[in-house]
Amino acid sequence: MDTTATGPVATEMLARLNSALSPTFIQLTDDSEKHRGHRGYNAAGESHFSLEIESAAFAAKSRVDRQRLVYKALGNLMRERVHALQIRARAPGEV
């Protein structure tokens, strides 16, 4: 099963993350349907995501600093379109 999200919001998210963080691995999953009926759910989808990303930009950074880098890269999408984002960010070589 292909779990990489491909809708317009996901496409924009991936473009911004690739541009800002040059990841060596990235996987974005649209979890919106799992949140049907929850706060922030959007019937159009693409409101809840899980992100797994590996980038040299995360080396020697804390978990919070890594999340800040992701949020900065996504900018207004996090305020205007995406309700929730679960992030697993690692530097190359980390498990």
Side-chain angles (χ1 to χ4, degrees), residues 23-67:
T24 52
F25 176 85
I26 189 168
Q27 184 172 18
L28 183 65
T29 305
D30 183 351
D31 297 326
S32 301
E33 195 53 36
K34 295 178 187 176
H35 299 275
R36 180 180 289 277
H38 297 179
R39 181 183 166 145
Y41 174 77
N42 184 330
E46 296 193 286
S47 58
H48 295 70
F49 290 91
S50 296
L51 172 67
E52 185 174 350
I53 183 169
E54 177 182 281
S55 171
F58 299 137
K61 299 270 193 288
S62 71
R63 183 177 60 87
V64 171
D65 287 338
R66 292 172 184 197
Q67 290 179 354

